[in-house]
Short mmCIF file of all heavy atoms in Angstrom, two decimals:
data_model
loop_
_atom_site.label_atom_id
_atom_site.label_comp_id
_atom_site.label_asym_id
_atom_site.label_seq_id
_atom_site.Cartn_x
_atom_site.Cartn_y
_atom_site.Cartn_z
N VAL A 1 5.90 8.66 2.14
CA VAL A 1 5.27 7.53 1.47
C VAL A 1 5.77 6.27 1.97
O VAL A 1 7.04 6.14 2.28
CB VAL A 1 5.50 7.62 -0.01
CG1 VAL A 1 4.81 8.83 -0.66
CG2 VAL A 1 6.94 7.64 -0.43
N GLU A 2 4.92 5.27 2.22
CA GLU A 2 5.37 3.99 2.64
C GLU A 2 4.50 2.85 2.15
O GLU A 2 3.39 3.19 1.61
CB GLU A 2 5.19 3.97 4.29
CG GLU A 2 3.86 4.30 4.80
CD GLU A 2 2.96 3.06 5.12
OE1 GLU A 2 3.49 1.92 4.92
OE2 GLU A 2 1.81 3.26 5.43
N GLY A 3 5.05 1.64 2.14
CA GLY A 3 4.39 0.57 1.45
C GLY A 3 4.24 -0.65 2.28
O GLY A 3 4.24 -1.80 1.82
N PHE A 4 4.10 -0.55 3.69
CA PHE A 4 3.98 -1.70 4.49
C PHE A 4 2.42 -2.16 4.59
O PHE A 4 1.50 -1.45 4.19
CB PHE A 4 4.44 -1.36 5.97
CG PHE A 4 5.83 -1.12 5.95
CD1 PHE A 4 6.33 -0.01 6.73
CD2 PHE A 4 6.75 -1.93 5.39
CE1 PHE A 4 7.69 0.30 6.91
CE2 PHE A 4 8.11 -1.62 5.56
CZ PHE A 4 8.57 -0.55 6.29
N ARG A 5 2.24 -3.26 5.17
CA ARG A 5 0.89 -3.69 5.34
C ARG A 5 0.24 -2.79 6.44
O ARG A 5 0.88 -2.10 7.24
CB ARG A 5 0.83 -5.17 6.04
CG ARG A 5 1.24 -6.18 5.08
CD ARG A 5 0.73 -7.59 5.54
NE ARG A 5 1.60 -8.62 5.07
CZ ARG A 5 1.32 -9.94 5.19
NH1 ARG A 5 0.30 -10.30 5.83
NH2 ARG A 5 2.10 -10.86 4.75
N PRO A 6 -1.07 -2.57 6.33
CA PRO A 6 -1.69 -1.70 7.35
C PRO A 6 -1.29 -2.07 8.82
O PRO A 6 -1.24 -3.21 9.17
CB PRO A 6 -3.19 -2.01 7.16
CG PRO A 6 -3.34 -2.46 5.68
CD PRO A 6 -2.10 -3.21 5.44
N GLY A 7 -0.95 -1.00 9.51
CA GLY A 7 -0.65 -1.19 11.01
C GLY A 7 0.79 -1.28 11.31
O GLY A 7 1.28 -0.98 12.42
N ILE A 8 1.61 -1.60 10.27
CA ILE A 8 3.09 -1.75 10.60
C ILE A 8 3.73 -0.36 10.98
O ILE A 8 4.53 -0.35 11.88
CB ILE A 8 3.82 -2.37 9.35
CG1 ILE A 8 3.31 -3.78 8.98
CG2 ILE A 8 5.37 -2.27 9.56
CD1 ILE A 8 3.51 -4.67 10.23
N MET A 9 3.39 0.61 10.22
CA MET A 9 3.98 2.00 10.54
C MET A 9 3.52 2.32 11.97
O MET A 9 4.29 3.02 12.71
CB MET A 9 3.52 3.04 9.51
CG MET A 9 4.32 2.84 8.15
SD MET A 9 5.98 3.32 8.22
CE MET A 9 5.92 5.10 8.18
N GLU A 10 2.33 2.06 12.31
CA GLU A 10 1.91 2.38 13.73
C GLU A 10 2.76 1.65 14.70
O GLU A 10 3.04 2.17 15.73
CB GLU A 10 0.37 2.01 13.87
CG GLU A 10 -0.53 3.07 13.16
CD GLU A 10 -0.81 2.76 11.64
OE1 GLU A 10 0.00 1.88 11.09
OE2 GLU A 10 -1.58 3.36 11.02
N LYS A 11 2.95 0.30 14.45
CA LYS A 11 3.68 -0.48 15.42
C LYS A 11 5.18 0.10 15.54
O LYS A 11 5.75 -0.06 16.66
CB LYS A 11 3.84 -1.94 14.95
CG LYS A 11 2.44 -2.62 15.09
CD LYS A 11 2.55 -4.13 14.66
CE LYS A 11 1.27 -4.83 14.78
NZ LYS A 11 1.24 -6.15 14.29
N LEU A 12 5.71 0.61 14.50
CA LEU A 12 7.03 1.21 14.40
C LEU A 12 7.05 2.49 15.26
O LEU A 12 8.21 2.94 15.59
CB LEU A 12 7.50 1.43 13.10
CG LEU A 12 7.86 0.16 12.30
CD1 LEU A 12 8.13 0.58 10.88
CD2 LEU A 12 9.01 -0.56 12.85
N GLY A 13 5.90 3.11 15.46
CA GLY A 13 5.88 4.44 16.03
C GLY A 13 5.98 5.53 14.99
O GLY A 13 6.28 6.73 15.35
N LEU A 14 5.58 5.21 13.75
CA LEU A 14 5.63 6.21 12.69
C LEU A 14 4.37 6.31 11.97
O LEU A 14 4.25 6.60 10.77
CB LEU A 14 6.70 5.75 11.63
CG LEU A 14 8.16 5.96 12.18
CD1 LEU A 14 9.14 5.24 11.12
CD2 LEU A 14 8.49 7.33 12.34
N GLY A 15 3.23 5.99 12.63
CA GLY A 15 1.90 6.05 12.04
C GLY A 15 1.52 7.52 11.77
O GLY A 15 2.09 8.48 12.17
N PRO A 16 0.38 7.63 11.00
CA PRO A 16 -0.14 9.02 10.67
C PRO A 16 -0.27 9.92 11.79
O PRO A 16 -0.07 11.07 11.67
CB PRO A 16 -1.31 8.70 9.86
CG PRO A 16 -1.28 7.30 9.41
CD PRO A 16 -0.47 6.56 10.43
N GLU A 17 -0.90 9.39 12.89
CA GLU A 17 -1.24 10.27 14.02
C GLU A 17 0.09 10.92 14.61
O GLU A 17 0.19 11.99 14.94
CB GLU A 17 -1.95 9.50 15.11
CG GLU A 17 -3.37 9.19 14.73
CD GLU A 17 -4.27 8.54 15.82
OE1 GLU A 17 -3.66 8.57 17.03
OE2 GLU A 17 -5.32 8.19 15.66
N VAL A 18 1.13 10.09 14.72
CA VAL A 18 2.34 10.45 15.34
C VAL A 18 3.06 11.51 14.34
O VAL A 18 3.57 12.51 14.77
CB VAL A 18 3.25 9.26 15.59
CG1 VAL A 18 4.75 9.72 15.95
CG2 VAL A 18 2.71 8.39 16.64
N CYS A 19 3.07 11.17 13.11
CA CYS A 19 3.73 12.02 12.05
C CYS A 19 3.06 13.29 11.92
O CYS A 19 3.68 14.40 11.85
CB CYS A 19 3.86 11.26 10.79
SG CYS A 19 5.18 9.90 10.73
N LEU A 20 1.68 13.35 11.91
CA LEU A 20 0.93 14.56 11.73
C LEU A 20 1.01 15.46 12.91
O LEU A 20 0.87 16.64 12.87
CB LEU A 20 -0.49 14.18 11.30
CG LEU A 20 -0.73 13.78 9.92
CD1 LEU A 20 -2.07 13.14 9.63
CD2 LEU A 20 -0.64 14.97 8.93
N ALA A 21 1.33 14.76 14.08
CA ALA A 21 1.47 15.57 15.38
C ALA A 21 2.73 16.32 15.26
O ALA A 21 2.77 17.48 15.76
CB ALA A 21 1.45 14.61 16.50
N ARG A 22 3.63 15.73 14.58
CA ARG A 22 5.10 16.38 14.48
C ARG A 22 4.97 17.42 13.35
O ARG A 22 5.80 18.42 13.33
CB ARG A 22 6.14 15.43 14.18
CG ARG A 22 6.33 14.34 15.30
CD ARG A 22 7.06 14.93 16.59
NE ARG A 22 8.49 15.18 16.42
CZ ARG A 22 9.40 14.38 16.84
NH1 ARG A 22 9.05 13.24 17.54
NH2 ARG A 22 10.70 14.65 16.69
N ASN A 23 4.06 17.23 12.35
CA ASN A 23 4.07 18.09 11.16
C ASN A 23 2.55 18.05 10.61
O ASN A 23 2.23 17.20 9.85
CB ASN A 23 5.07 17.55 10.11
CG ASN A 23 5.06 18.53 8.83
OD1 ASN A 23 4.21 19.40 8.70
ND2 ASN A 23 5.93 18.23 7.95
N PRO A 24 1.71 18.99 11.11
CA PRO A 24 0.40 18.96 10.74
C PRO A 24 0.07 19.09 9.17
O PRO A 24 -0.99 18.82 8.79
CB PRO A 24 -0.24 20.19 11.49
CG PRO A 24 0.71 20.30 12.65
CD PRO A 24 2.08 19.99 12.12
N ARG A 25 1.00 19.60 8.44
CA ARG A 25 0.82 19.82 7.02
C ARG A 25 1.32 18.56 6.27
O ARG A 25 1.21 18.58 5.02
CB ARG A 25 1.60 21.08 6.50
CG ARG A 25 1.18 22.39 7.10
CD ARG A 25 1.97 23.46 6.62
NE ARG A 25 2.09 23.54 5.08
CZ ARG A 25 1.16 24.43 4.44
NH1 ARG A 25 0.37 25.23 5.08
NH2 ARG A 25 1.22 24.42 3.16
N LEU A 26 1.69 17.52 6.86
CA LEU A 26 2.33 16.41 6.17
C LEU A 26 1.32 15.63 5.36
O LEU A 26 0.15 15.32 5.91
CB LEU A 26 3.03 15.42 7.22
CG LEU A 26 3.76 14.25 6.57
CD1 LEU A 26 5.04 14.67 5.94
CD2 LEU A 26 3.90 13.16 7.65
N VAL A 27 1.55 15.21 4.23
CA VAL A 27 0.78 14.33 3.42
C VAL A 27 1.39 12.89 3.63
O VAL A 27 2.61 12.70 3.36
CB VAL A 27 0.85 14.72 1.95
CG1 VAL A 27 0.20 13.52 1.06
CG2 VAL A 27 0.10 15.98 1.64
N PHE A 28 0.59 12.03 4.07
CA PHE A 28 1.05 10.65 4.52
C PHE A 28 0.41 9.61 3.44
O PHE A 28 -0.67 9.28 3.37
CB PHE A 28 0.56 10.29 5.87
CG PHE A 28 1.30 9.11 6.53
CD1 PHE A 28 2.10 9.36 7.55
CD2 PHE A 28 0.94 7.82 6.16
CE1 PHE A 28 2.76 8.36 8.15
CE2 PHE A 28 1.61 6.75 6.79
CZ PHE A 28 2.50 7.12 7.87
N GLY A 29 1.38 9.30 2.48
CA GLY A 29 0.95 8.39 1.27
C GLY A 29 1.19 6.89 1.76
O GLY A 29 2.31 6.51 2.11
N ARG A 30 0.13 6.13 1.54
CA ARG A 30 0.24 4.75 1.96
C ARG A 30 -0.11 3.81 0.75
O ARG A 30 -1.11 4.00 0.05
CB ARG A 30 -0.85 4.44 3.05
CG ARG A 30 -0.82 5.44 4.21
CD ARG A 30 -1.53 4.89 5.52
NE ARG A 30 -0.58 4.13 6.26
CZ ARG A 30 -0.79 3.72 7.47
NH1 ARG A 30 -1.84 3.96 8.09
NH2 ARG A 30 0.16 2.85 8.12
N MET A 31 0.84 2.89 0.42
CA MET A 31 0.65 2.02 -0.71
C MET A 31 0.56 0.72 -0.27
O MET A 31 1.52 0.10 0.35
CB MET A 31 2.02 2.17 -1.59
CG MET A 31 2.06 1.37 -2.83
SD MET A 31 1.06 2.08 -4.15
CE MET A 31 -0.48 1.21 -3.98
N THR A 32 -0.58 0.04 -0.56
CA THR A 32 -0.89 -1.40 -0.22
C THR A 32 -1.49 -2.06 -1.41
O THR A 32 -1.94 -1.35 -2.40
CB THR A 32 -1.71 -1.48 0.99
OG1 THR A 32 -3.07 -0.91 0.65
CG2 THR A 32 -1.22 -0.83 2.22
N GLY A 33 -1.60 -3.32 -1.24
CA GLY A 33 -2.39 -4.06 -2.32
C GLY A 33 -3.89 -4.00 -2.17
O GLY A 33 -4.64 -3.77 -3.21
N TRP A 34 -4.35 -4.24 -1.01
CA TRP A 34 -5.72 -4.39 -0.75
C TRP A 34 -6.39 -3.20 -0.09
O TRP A 34 -7.65 -3.07 0.15
CB TRP A 34 -6.01 -5.53 0.29
CG TRP A 34 -5.42 -6.85 -0.31
CD1 TRP A 34 -4.46 -7.55 0.29
CD2 TRP A 34 -5.88 -7.67 -1.44
NE1 TRP A 34 -4.16 -8.68 -0.44
CE2 TRP A 34 -4.98 -8.74 -1.49
CE3 TRP A 34 -6.75 -7.47 -2.46
CZ2 TRP A 34 -5.08 -9.70 -2.45
CZ3 TRP A 34 -6.85 -8.40 -3.49
CH2 TRP A 34 -6.03 -9.55 -3.42
N GLY A 35 -5.60 -2.20 0.43
CA GLY A 35 -6.23 -0.97 1.05
C GLY A 35 -6.08 -1.06 2.50
O GLY A 35 -5.53 -2.07 3.06
N GLN A 36 -6.39 -0.01 3.22
CA GLN A 36 -6.16 0.09 4.68
C GLN A 36 -7.23 -0.64 5.50
O GLN A 36 -7.02 -0.76 6.65
CB GLN A 36 -6.08 1.52 5.04
CG GLN A 36 -4.85 2.25 4.54
CD GLN A 36 -3.64 1.74 5.01
OE1 GLN A 36 -3.39 1.52 6.24
NE2 GLN A 36 -2.70 1.51 4.08
N GLU A 37 -8.38 -1.00 4.85
CA GLU A 37 -9.38 -1.75 5.61
C GLU A 37 -9.99 -2.74 4.64
O GLU A 37 -9.74 -2.78 3.48
CB GLU A 37 -10.38 -0.84 6.22
CG GLU A 37 -11.40 -0.11 5.23
CD GLU A 37 -10.61 0.99 4.51
OE1 GLU A 37 -9.97 1.82 5.13
OE2 GLU A 37 -10.89 1.14 3.27
N GLY A 38 -10.86 -3.52 5.20
CA GLY A 38 -11.54 -4.65 4.39
C GLY A 38 -10.99 -5.97 4.82
O GLY A 38 -10.00 -6.14 5.42
#
């Protein structure tokens, strides 16, 4: 679970694609105010 603005985890190298590649069963919980798009 993480609570950064959209895109920050990707910039760190810890985005969903990278993490799910290391662990395909991983649930990636994202907490934001406005959502991941819009």
Side-chain angles (χ1 to χ4, degrees):
V1 294
E2 57 94 4
F4 294 135
R5 291 197 207 189
I8 297 299
M9 288 290 282
E10 286 82 352
K11 289 181 181 179
L12 290 171
L14 290 171
E17 290 187 5
V18 173
C19 289
L20 284 165
R22 298 287 283 260
N23 182 353
R25 295 177 60 94
L26 185 76
V27 170
F28 197 104
R30 316 199 79 168
M31 181 78 263
T32 61
W34 307 112
Q36 294 298 311
E37 70 282 318

